[in-house]
């Protein structure tokens, strides 16, 4: 039976990964870019996202936190975000991004 337990574990990890990947893609029209992609854009605000998932579930936590930050950026009318590296603390996963409006400006589509 050890093989069955291993398969169940791998299936669980794959499910978490699939769910995490889908969360960030829900906010249409907002792209992750870098500083060179927003040089002519209007800065709107810094947005934050937090998730209670951490430790071995950090990937899911990051996906949830980024989805939350994307939603906040969407409400501001952002078209692009630049992720900011922030220190993590025990008990949650946090992200921050600068939100920009870049309508009509050629963008760098860097995946960050």
């Amino acid at each position: 039976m050890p093989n069955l337990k291993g398969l169940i574990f791998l299936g669980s990890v794959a499910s978490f990964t699939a769910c995490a990947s889908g969360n960030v893609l829900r906010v249409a029209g907002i792209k992750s870019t870098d500083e060179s992609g927003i040089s002519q854009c209007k800065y709107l605000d810094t947005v934050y996202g937090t998730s209670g998932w951490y430790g071995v579930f950090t990937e899911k936590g990051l996906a949830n936190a980024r989805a939350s930050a994307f939603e906040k950026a969407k409400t501001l009318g952002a078209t692009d975000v630049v992720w900011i590296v922030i220190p993590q603390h025990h008990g949650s996963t946090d992200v921050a991004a600068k939100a920009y409006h870049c309508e009509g400006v050629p963008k760098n589509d860097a995946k960050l």
Side-chain angles (χ1 to χ4, degrees):
M1 284 293 175
N3 290 336
L4 181 59
K5 288 180 183 179
L7 287 174
I8 291 171
F9 174 75
L10 289 176
S12 298
V13 171
S15 295
F16 283 129
T17 303
C19 291
S21 301
N23 288 340
V24 174
L25 301 176
R26 276 193 236 162
V27 183
I30 300 179
K31 293 186 179 184
S32 296
T33 188
D34 58 19
E35 294 292 334
S36 67
I38 49 87
S39 62
Q40 298 176 5
C41 302
K42 179 183 176 191
Y43 171 75
L44 300 173
D45 202 358
T46 301
V47 293
Y48 300 90
T50 301
S51 172
W53 292 91
Y54 66 98
V56 295
F57 301 108
T58 297
E59 185 175 340
K60 181 171 179 57
L62 281 173
N64 290 344
R66 284 187 173 176
S68 175
F70 270 128
E71 287 294 334
K72 291 173 184 172
K74 181 180 179 181
T75 64
L76 295 173
T79 57
D80 293 70
V81 294
V82 175
W83 296 105
I84 302 167
V85 176
I86 59 172
Q88 297 297 310
H89 59 293
H90 182 72
S92 67
T93 302
D94 305 307
V95 297
K98 294 180 183 177
Y100 294 88
H101 182 76
C102 304
E103 190 168 327
V105 177
K107 291 178 259 181
N108 176 357
D109 293 334
K111 302 284 183 197
L112 300 178

